[in-house]
Amino acid sequence: MTLHELVAGQHVWHGRSARALEDGIPTGFSVLDEALPLGGWPKAALTEVLLPADGLGEIALLQPTLARLTQARQRVVLVAPPYIPYAPAWRAGGVRLPYLDIVETDPKQALWAFEQCLRSGSCAAVVGWPRNADQHALRRLQVAADTGQALGFALRDRKHADQASPAALRLELGQDRQIHVRKCRGGNPPARALTVQ
């Protein structure tokens, strides 16, 4: 049999580029968009951002996307943020506050609330801080994001980096404001760290 006959007879898998199947949602940072195989955040999926400490630019990394969504009158939800969001800073970053909701809950209920917001179909993006989520909990968040067609962002401690994760995209933010892509849907992660401004 020739290669053409094998492909035509469906005896071999005929792969396609992930970018051809689905483009990503722009992050607001051209360096990051160019490095990611989908050209941005994966749609209807969970993105995990690993941090060595809080306040190293994780909100600044998400802000262009969250601002764009709220400016398009789409709902964005923060689930159990560890600090009280400072409304003037969010507004200065372009976020339209009437489309930003905050769910305050105790840590035991935060994971459930995160999952429900993702699954609801009424949120364009949901940002959560799941402290003790294992890979099964993250899998539920990934499925919920897909079901609700939402962007999910799980901001977690870097100590979880060695754990398996079903997230479609996994980034690690360094103290030097560099981003290491640990895992990405649609291709291999870039070999070098990225610096976004």
Side-chain angles (χ1 to χ4, degrees):
M1 265 190 194
T2 67
L3 180 59
H4 178 70
E5 292 170 329
L6 288 171
V7 172
Q10 297 182 343
H11 298 288
V12 269
W13 177 66
H14 184 74
R16 284 180 234 136
S17 163
R19 190 180 286 266
L21 295 174
E22 144 191 28
D23 285 336
I25 296 172
T27 64
F29 300 97
S30 59
V31 170
L32 185 55
D33 290 343
E34 290 169 11
L36 296 174
L38 299 177
W41 306 118
K43 291 180 181 176
L46 183 67
T47 294
E48 190 177 5
V49 181
L50 301 167
L51 310 161
D54 292 335
L56 292 177
E58 60 272 23
I59 299 301
L61 177 65
L62 304 179
Q63 199 154 26
T65 302
L66 302 181
R68 192 171 52 256
L69 292 172
T70 60
Q71 289 167 10
R73 299 173 186 257
Q74 294 181 297
R75 181 78 40 212
V76 171
V77 178
L78 308 179
V79 178
Y83 307 100
I84 298 170
Y86 185 60
W90 284 83
R91 189 181 309 112
V95 173
R96 292 190 64 198
L97 297 181
Y99 298 96
L100 179 67
D101 290 325
I102 300 169
V103 175
E104 293 183 31
T105 185
D106 63 72
K108 291 181 180 180
Q109 297 299 317
L111 194 60
W112 178 85
F114 192 3
E115 182 179 348
Q116 298 310 307
C117 289
L118 286 170
R119 188 178 305 282
S120 72
S122 63
C123 304
V126 182
V127 182
W129 288 259
R131 299 288 180 195
N132 299 315
D134 60 12
Q135 71 177 19
H136 301 293
L138 292 175
R139 177 73 185 143
R140 285 196 315 271
L141 294 175
Q142 170 59 42
V143 170
D146 183 46
T147 301
Q149 295 295 294
L151 290 172
F153 296 102
L155 306 180
R156 305 183 73 212
D157 192 292
R158 184 173 61 188
K159 70 181 180 185
H160 301 291
D162 292 336
Q163 295 175 355
S165 174
L169 177 62
R170 203 169 198 210
L171 306 175
E172 184 177 338
L173 219 59
Q175 289 187 341
D176 51 5
R177 302 216 18 138
Q178 289 196 323
I179 298 173
H180 301 272
V181 180
R182 298 292 179 208
K183 173 186 173 185
C184 54
R185 179 183 286 172
N188 294 322
R192 61 179 180 80
L194 308 169
T195 303
V196 296
Q197 299 291 335

